[in-house]
């Protein structure tokens, strides 16, 4: 039947050797999420009040805004990685690629909106009452 041996027919169609890279990114983002969420919980718990003015004043500080932006970025990336695995494992038709594209666009949109909101609060000047 031609075209060489059986192994020659499948050569290049096997593992892309990217699975461990993806696995490590999921584990690293999970660890970063754990650390950043613990920081967020303790930071909010230590605030004197939990009203809008106190939270926006807290978020205007660099020590709060930067980790919050990191939390949003890492969580969005972790979300994208996790849903990509679910789609690759359980969607076995041509809709898989479209779903992965939609998940990527959704993750970028949500992260962009959240980061923009944090930056807007952080850079808005305080108006004296």
């Amino acid at each position: 039947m031609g075209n060489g041996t059986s192994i020659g027919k499948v050569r290049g169609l096997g593992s892309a050797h990217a699975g461990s890279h993806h696995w490590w990114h999921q584990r690293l983002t999970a660890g970063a999420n754990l650390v950043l969420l613990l920081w967020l919980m303790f930071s909010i718990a230590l605030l004197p009040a939990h009203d809008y003015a106190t939270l926006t004043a807290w978020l205007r500080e660099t020590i709060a805004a930067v980790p919050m932006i990191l939390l949003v970025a890492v969580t969005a990336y972790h979300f994208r990685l996790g849903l990509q695995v679910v789609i690759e494992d359980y969607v076995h038709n041509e809709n898989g690629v479209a779903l992965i594209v939609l998940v990527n666009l959704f993750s970028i949109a949500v992260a962009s909106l959240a980061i923009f909101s944090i930056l807007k609060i952080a850079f808005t000047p305080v108006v004296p009452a």
Side-chain angles (χ1 to χ4, degrees), residues 43-104:
S43 295
I44 290 177
L46 295 174
L47 289 175
H50 296 104
D51 57 343
Y52 179 78
T54 305
L55 288 173
T56 53
W58 170 72
L59 202 52
R60 281 190 185 101
E61 299 174 12
T62 305
I63 197 77
V66 171
M68 187 67 78
I69 290 170
L70 287 174
L71 177 63
V72 167
V74 170
T75 302
Y77 184 56
H78 185 75
F79 169 80
R80 188 192 71 78
L81 289 173
L83 278 183
Q84 179 180 343
V85 169
V86 170
I87 292 168
E88 288 172 349
D89 287 347
Y90 296 108
V91 178
H92 299 294
N93 54 29
E94 61 277 352
N95 295 336
V97 174
L99 287 173
I100 290 175
V101 169
L102 286 174
V103 166
N104 287 340

Side-chain angles (χ1 to χ4, degrees), residues 68-69 71-77 79 104-119:
M68 187 67 78
I69 290 170
L71 177 63
V72 167
V74 170
T75 302
Y77 184 56
F79 169 80
N104 287 340
L105 292 174
F106 179 76
S107 300
I108 290 169
V110 168
S112 299
L113 182 64
I115 291 170
F116 176 78
S117 300
I118 294 166
L119 291 173

